[in-house]
Amino acid sequence: MLRVLPLFTALALAGCAEADRAGLAVAASAPETAALDSVRVERGDDGVLALRWSGADAVDVYAGATPDVDTAGEPVASGTEGELRLPVHSDSTARPFFRVVPVGESANAGRVVAERALPLQGATNFRDLGGYASADGRRVRWGQVYRTGALADLTGRDLDVFSRLGVEMVCDLRRPHEVEAMPDRLPTDDPPRTMTLDISGTADREEDEDEVLRQLRTGEVSVAERMVEGYRDKALVAAPLYTQMFEALLDPENRPFLFHCQGGEDRAGIGAALILLAIDVPRETVMEDYLLTNEHRVELAEEEIVHYARQYEMPVEVMRGFVNEGAVADALAAVFDAIDDAYGSTDAYLRDALGLSDEDRARLKDALLV
């Protein structure tokens, strides 16, 4: 059974930008109940959002322009078979949120859902960390923390979408030469504050870069092995820089907060993992978020790969594997192992390596969990 009211079309003007399939989202602004096991929203190539759920026979769907979706009026859609298609206006640059409520339950029994990956044309892997469940049953607030790749190629339309997000701080985790070659393109009206943290420069110990390249060229070290080593290194050596990222995130004037590297994969992937761990999101969920990168990244074109292979005097096949490897579970697992090996526990790492006190983490949870 399916019911989509005409009212939905008007409400969806609060909605979304046109793009290819944008990705997965699970969210909540209230503790979940047994009546609703899972909810997610995905955008198809036709621009239509598919809402899928399990655990409830029938649901009512409400729509809004913010995560605080109002359920006082009529639902914009109802369905009974675990899936609804929700047509939206493709010319809107606003972002839609939906509260999915099992029929017969109170609004607090529902979940707020949205697309996890924002459909921007000039940025890859632009994702909201909202919706993940923490150990205490609360969930990460939507629209507070974003992760992405480089922002140098944002289109005019992307800038309109970006402006609507209200980002107050952009934290760039790239090296100086990357920043210089591809500076962020940000809104000029009421622009966000910016900060730069050279994560790679510290973690990779640039004086050893020639040796690393030699090992990759000769096959002494595989791309996957190098990724694992690099991730362990970043978790430990770059901890003081990630500490600065947390200091900025703790300031309420810097939220919504966005952080990024070049591809939104490695340096940003570790940053996202550390933020989620700090608010007690389980490691299994942290790994799931990390691997979502493989659904939203864009591989380099062959001519770009050849260019970089020549620049670094590396065989093309080695460079191809290096830049298009994607998110590798063993790499993030190496971060977890490094934390455990060096500090004994996540809590000890957050306290002793990142300098997050119990009070800091409590403040962060209060700010980011609902």
Side-chain angles (χ1 to χ4, degrees):
M1 176 184 176
L2 168 65
R3 179 174 66 91
V4 179
L5 299 182
L7 176 62
F8 178 77
T9 302
L11 288 177
L13 283 170
C16 52
E18 182 181 7
D20 291 335
R21 180 171 179 261
L24 177 69
V26 263
S29 61
E32 64 183 274
T33 69
L36 198 58
D37 295 329
S38 66
V39 189
R40 68 182 193 177
V41 173
E42 293 179 341
R43 182 185 298 272
D45 292 337
D46 57 2
V48 175
L49 295 180
L51 170 67
R52 299 183 177 93
W53 73 92
S54 64
D57 294 332
V59 299
D60 291 327
V61 182
Y62 302 82
T66 72
D68 299 319
V69 179
D70 187 2
T71 59
E74 285 289 311
V76 298
S78 299
T80 60
E81 297 180 356
E83 180 172 340
L84 281 170
R85 288 172 62 81
L86 305 172
V88 295
H89 280 276
S90 61
D91 59 348
S92 174
T93 56
R95 186 184 185 197
F97 296 87
F98 307 99
R99 182 181 287 277
V100 183
V101 181
V103 171
E105 299 283 347
S106 69
N108 286 337
R111 301 246 197 113
V112 173
V113 297
E115 294 176 275
R116 182 167 298 289
L118 278 69
L120 299 182
Q121 298 170 334
T124 62
N125 207 16
F126 195 120
R127 308 208 308 265
D128 191 330
L129 291 186
Y132 291 123
S134 67
D136 66 4
R138 291 185 291 173
R139 289 180 178 266
V140 184
R141 294 178 186 270
W142 285 98
Q144 289 298 298
V145 185
Y146 298 96
R147 53 172 293 178
T148 183
L151 301 174
D153 296 324
L154 293 186
T155 66
R157 193 168 186 283
D158 290 342
L159 290 173
D160 289 340
V161 175
F162 190 99
S163 293
R164 286 177 176 267
L165 301 179
V167 171
E168 295 289 351
M169 170 64 75
V170 173
C171 178
D172 191 335
L173 306 179
R174 297 177 298 166
R175 291 181 175 184
H177 71 82
E178 293 175 298
V179 176
E180 182 178 358
M182 297 182 65
D184 286 345
R185 185 186 185 201
L186 299 172
T188 55
D189 292 336
D190 193 21
R193 291 178 292 279
T194 61
M195 62 185 295
T196 302
L197 300 173
D198 181 7
I199 294 294
S200 287
T202 297
D204 288 345
R205 294 193 292 268
E206 291 186 63
E207 66 271 16
D208 297 330
E209 190 171 86
D210 289 341
E211 174 62 16
V212 170
L213 291 175
R214 185 195 68 78
Q215 292 174 348
L216 287 169
R217 290 190 199 103
T218 59
E220 294 177 37
V221 174
S222 69
V223 171
E225 289 172 332
R226 177 55 192 153
M227 284 186 67
V228 168
E229 179 184 348
Y231 271 55
R232 286 185 61 95
D233 206 28
K234 286 179 177 66
L236 301 177
V237 182
L241 293 175
Y242 282 118
T243 296
Q244 294 181 51
M245 182 186 73
F246 273 100
E247 289 172 350
L249 178 60
L250 277 164
D251 185 344
E253 293 189 359
N254 290 334
R255 297 191 296 266
F257 185 87
L258 180 149
F259 60 99
H260 76 91
C261 55
Q262 191 66 22
E265 183 176 319
D266 302 319
R267 291 162 283 186
I270 294 172
L274 297 181
I275 290 171
L276 292 175
L277 290 173
I279 55 178
D280 286 341
V281 173
R283 286 185 177 184
E284 295 80 5
T285 304
V286 174
M287 179 65 78
E288 291 172 8
D289 177 77
Y290 169 71
L291 293 176
L292 276 180
T293 285
N294 292 328
E295 297 184 20
H296 305 296
R297 65 192 297 274
V298 175
E299 294 190 350
L300 288 183
E302 187 66 17
E303 56 267 25
E304 295 178 284
I305 295 172
V306 171
H307 168 76
Y308 283 116
R310 290 172 178 167
Q311 179 180 344
Y312 290 101
E313 300 179 353
M314 190 181 297
V316 173
E317 61 272 17
V318 175
M319 180 58 71
R320 185 183 298 111
F322 192 69
V323 299
N324 286 338
E325 182 73 20
V328 177
D330 285 349
L332 187 62
V335 171
F336 298 155
D337 290 342
I339 288 172
D340 293 340
D341 292 345
Y343 293 91
S345 69
T346 299
D347 289 342
Y349 170 82
L350 293 168
R351 182 187 64 243
D352 299 335
L354 298 185
L356 290 174
S357 66
D358 291 343
E359 292 77 12
D360 290 334
R361 292 181 65 189
R363 286 169 51 210
L364 200 60
K365 291 175 189 178
D366 287 343
L368 300 184
L369 298 177
V370 63

